[in-house]
Amino acid sequence: MANLYIDGRYDARFAGELAAAKQGFFATPITLRPNPDDPSFVEAVARDHAIGVTSGQKFLLAAWRGVPVTAFAASFLDTSLAIFTLESSGLRRPQDLVGRQVGYRKGSEGEVVFDAMIAQLGLPRSQITKVPDRYSFEFLYTREVDAIIAPIDEQPDPSAVGYVRLNVIKPQDYGIHVPGLVYFSSNELIRHQPSVVADVLQGIIRGWQFVYADYARSEAVLSGFDPSRLKSGRLIFELQQQRSLVLPTGSRIADYDESRWRTLRDILLFAKLGEEGVPLAQTVNYQFLRDLYRRSPDLAAPGAWSAEK
């Protein structure tokens, strides 16, 4: 028996884990535990000798503080944060934001990624006004800010009544590639029960394959976790928005690389959010992924999930 903690509520971001649990893809008995709004999420996973999924930023900052955890795979291979503007504004590139107001959530991953993108492009940060706690789409629609930083799956559905057309600026289109959501475990579990971690990883990959093989089928499975929130149509829209983060062209599910971690480390140091108390080599494990894909090459085959449904 093992516990799998998700850093949030049941929603599309954790569809792979939910599908794996529902469809019986985990060889080890797994208990899913949603932990929304827990500032000590990583510490809880370590304390309970569990497996967790959270943002790469939250994980790495906790590891630097000495929390005994190790990342072993990615859920989103890139950040899900993007910058949204009204299409009518004509703001389509980061350069267009100079002299503008950008709404953001203070201390968030979005703020850090945005600052890194601006620095990467050599844009004058002093000429871009960041407005804290103005990151909802309502502030954009009412033109209290010119742009907002938000996860791509939170954007309004174009089929909704009264939809206002948006432009989307993605940091990865401008050279900022960092792990989005990552799977990690307590060091204790990895040390004493590595087979549990391997079993969970295999189940998660099969879960994501199931999710993207057939949207209608996966939507029926996922909505059962919280029918009042996971509405038909909206859930599929969110899955479509994050598809390229889970299944990027030329990559395998869950398979991150060292360059993304180095970039994340560098931008966190640049933001002065922490000091690298523990080297990346001691906090990120690639062996579980390598062993799994070597042992089960069928998991890497595009198969049914490669075609857009």
Side-chain angles (χ1 to χ4, degrees), residues 175-249:
I176 302 299
H177 295 279
V178 298
L181 291 175
V182 300
Y183 299 110
F184 67 98
S185 172
S186 71
N187 290 347
E188 188 77 9
L189 188 65
I190 287 179
R191 185 178 304 113
H192 296 292
Q193 293 182 282
S195 62
V196 171
V197 177
D199 288 345
V200 169
L201 177 55
Q202 178 168 292
I204 287 169
I205 291 174
R206 294 198 184 281
W208 282 118
Q209 288 178 334
F210 174 88
V211 166
Y212 284 110
D214 185 326
Y215 284 127
R217 182 178 62 171
S218 56
E219 183 274 332
V221 169
L222 298 172
S223 62
F225 281 89
D226 191 345
S228 65
R229 291 183 57 253
L230 303 177
K231 302 294 187 181
S232 177
R234 177 65 199 186
L235 179 57
I236 293 177
F237 173 74
E238 292 176 4
L239 290 173
Q240 290 171 331
Q241 298 311 302
Q242 67 188 37
R243 181 188 178 95
S244 63
L245 304 177
V246 179
L247 304 173
T249 302

Side-chain angles (χ1 to χ4, degrees), residues 27 50 86 134 159 165 179 182 194 210 212 227 256-257 282 296 304-305:
L86 298 176
R134 293 292 185 272
S159 65
R165 295 179 68 87
V182 300
F210 174 88
Y212 284 110
Y256 50 41
D257 60 49
Q282 295 179 29
S296 304
W305 52 262

Side-chain angles (χ1 to χ4, degrees), residues 39-43 57-68 273-278:
S40 301
F41 177 82
V42 179
E43 287 84 348
Q57 174 172 320
K58 184 181 285 189
F59 163 81
L60 193 54
L61 289 176
W64 285 354
R65 293 195 303 269
V67 180
L273 289 179
E275 297 181 2
E276 188 180 13
V278 184

